[in-house]
Amino acid sequence: MVIATASTPFSLSTSLVFTRRRNSKRFSVTASLSPEVSPLLRAAHHTVDKYVKSGMIIGLGSGEASDMAIRYLGQQLRSGSLQNVVGVPMSARSASEAAKSGIPLEYFRDGFQIDFAFHDADAVEENTLIAVIGRRRSSQEDDYILKQKSIVKAADEAVFMIKEEQYKAGLEGSIPVLVQSLNWLAIAEEIDDLYLGDAEVWRRASVENAGPLGGDFPIVTSDGHNILDVIFTTPIPSLADVATSLDKIDGVVDHGLIIKTRCTVVIAEETEVRSVTLQTSAVEGGV
């Protein structure tokens, strides 16, 4: 089984591939690469080389690693290594990168068939591979949490690209929650009561230093929703439990937790790329 192929911007310095079975997850490690190469660049190239095939419809994620993967996908299309690939952008940022890279685009709609999707995750819970998306990167990304989640969930298979420190158990930090704007305060108070002592709830604002209520300029998405950042100050025992509890609250539209069975996490380490895959079938070792 080939884990990664050499690509023009960097060269292989060793050849090392292995897999092992552990708790229904598959682990694989690519060959070590030149230390001058960005770890996220290696992860991006690995994702395209291993998972993208000619003729696929690809969900194009948003973020630093996704930008690199989109540019590399464009190079592969221009060189003829890949053909007839269509991209479905998850944000204006990914649409712009794809257009500059010459990738043909379609826009997502309900029932759209997507073969594969890649995306930057803000964090991934070890063992479950539940991903957190939608933490504040820039105000331009605030309006795309629902679209990003919808495209990832619609894909037959998905990859989240992350740095090594973003993959662990007992995650902390924020989880974005989209809520109905008319009764946002009552919803925020209910969430605050639910996680009393473990989390703070802030309404996301379009300006900095607006305070926990979002000031005079709260984010309102194109669908008319506010975004609450539920900021956990202690390790979260289970993201699945958090997702279940949020789903039960009246007025919560959705949140930035993605639970997907056919999912792989590509982890950018300093000198190699490691992947972890949830699966139900037996794994064959590779050399």
Side-chain angles (χ1 to χ4, degrees), residues 214-234:
D216 296 328
F217 303 98
I219 290 292
V220 180
T221 70
S222 58
D223 296 317
H225 305 135
N226 285 157
I227 301 174
L228 302 180
D229 286 307
V230 183
I231 307 166
F232 285 86
T233 55
T234 61

Side-chain angles (χ1 to χ4, degrees), residues 35 42 50 74 81 92 119 133 141 162 173 199 217 232 244 261 265 275:
R42 281 196 299 271
K50 182 167 177 61
S81 299
H119 190 35
I133 68 166
E141 295 288 299
I162 59 173
F217 303 98
F232 285 86
T244 299
T261 303
V265 179
S275 63

Side-chain angles (χ1 to χ4, degrees), residues 116-152:
F116 172 73
F118 57 78
H119 190 35
D120 287 53
D122 296 304
V124 175
E125 185 177 58
E126 192 174 352
N127 296 321
T128 68
L129 305 194
I130 297 175
V132 181
I133 68 166
R135 288 180 178 172
R136 189 69 177 267
R137 296 194 190 110
S138 71
S139 59
Q140 296 176 342
E141 295 288 299
D142 288 329
D143 206 34
Y144 295 103
I145 297 173
L146 281 178
K147 176 181 282 189
Q148 291 165 0
K149 187 170 180 177
S150 296
I151 291 174
V152 169

